[in-house]
Amino acid sequence: KVQAVLSNLDGKRYTVIHDVLVETEPGHTAQIDHVVFSVHGIFVIETKNYSGQIYGRESEPSWTQKFPRASHRFQNPIRQNQGHIRKLAAGLGIPSTSFHSIVAFGRHATLKVDTRTPVMYIDQLPGYIRQYQAVLFSTTQIGQWSQALNQVKGTTSRAKRREHVGGIRQRPRTRR
C-alpha cells in the first residue's frame, strides 16, 4: 500500500527506497520501511499496519493499540524511527537535521496520539512530503546518497533478512 501511494511522487524529484535492513550493532539489525530522498530533505517513514484505537505520546517508550475487549502495547514508532535516522545520518554522513521523521498508519486505525512528529495515515504521505519546498541538497548529493543506500540494500542477504525477522519474533510482547 505504501509503495503504491509513494509511487504518486514525481520520480524526477523524489527517489524512494523501500525495506532497507541496516546493522545497528554487531549481531543486531533494524529494518527501515521507506526512505524518500529529495532536494527538500530525506523522509524516513515508519509504517504500522494496525487497527483499533492507537494511543501514544512522543516521549512514551511504548504506545497502546486498543480494542473493545483487549489492548496491546508496542514500541513507540517515533523512537524507533529516530534510531533509524541516527543510523542513516551516521552511515551516509548527513546531518540528522536534514531528515524528516514520519509515522504512517493504515485507515483501519483510529489515531489518538499527542506528538510533534508527524503521525498520519498512509494516503496523506505524498501531500505531506510535497509541502516541503526549501532546497537543502543538490540533485548530485541525492543521487549519491540514494545510490549508497541502494547498495547497502542490495548487499543484504536473504539469510540476514530471515535472521532479522527471527529476532523480532523472539522478542517478548507486552499484552494487557
Side-chain angles (χ1 to χ4, degrees):
K1 171 95 177 157
V2 178
Q3 287 184 16
V5 167
L6 292 177
S7 71
N8 291 318
L9 293 171
D10 180 356
K12 293 179 181 146
R13 297 182 61 205
Y14 301 94
T15 300
V16 183
I17 301 173
H18 307 282
D19 190 26
V20 179
L21 195 63
V22 294
E23 189 170 32
T24 55
E25 57 187 71
H28 296 279
T29 55
Q31 187 261 337
I32 303 171
D33 294 332
H34 313 276
V35 181
V36 179
F37 288 93
S38 80
V39 296
H40 311 295
I42 302 164
F43 302 86
V44 180
I45 304 165
E46 176 64 28
T47 57
K48 296 296 181 191
N49 186 24
Y50 290 177
S51 57
Q53 294 181 338
I54 306 299
Y55 293 89
R57 293 191 175 156
E58 186 109 10
S59 60
E60 295 174 332
S62 62
W63 288 10
T64 304
Q65 175 188 31
K66 287 193 176 187
F67 299 102
R69 295 180 189 204
S71 64
H72 169 72
R73 308 249 336 141
F74 62 98
Q75 181 182 359
N76 178 336
I78 293 172
R79 286 185 171 194
Q80 188 178 1
N81 218 27
Q82 287 169 342
H84 296 162
I85 288 171
R86 280 191 300 275
K87 183 64 181 171
L88 286 173
L92 296 173
I94 306 168
S96 60
T97 55
S98 303
F99 290 82
H100 304 283
S101 178
I102 306 170
V103 177
F105 285 82
R107 287 282 180 181
H108 289 98
T110 302
L111 301 176
K112 298 181 178 262
V113 298
D114 180 16
T115 67
R116 289 183 321 273
T117 300
V119 177
M120 65 188 66
Y121 293 106
I122 291 167
D123 60 343
Q124 296 174 310
L125 287 168
Y128 180 81
I129 291 169
R130 283 188 202 110
Q131 78 179 354
Y132 285 83
Q133 296 298 311
V135 175
L136 304 176
F137 306 116
S138 71
T139 55
T140 301
Q141 288 173 302
I142 293 303
Q144 290 170 343
W145 293 329
S146 61
Q147 183 179 15
L149 192 58
N150 262 323
Q151 286 176 341
V152 167
K153 181 180 175 180
T155 60
T156 305
S157 68
R158 284 192 174 141
K160 219 20 154 178
R161 288 189 178 282
R162 280 193 300 273
E163 185 180 313
H164 173 75
V165 171
I168 291 171
R169 289 185 178 146
Q170 290 176 357
R171 291 180 192 159
R173 293 182 185 229
T174 307
R175 292 197 183 263
R176 282 200 282 165

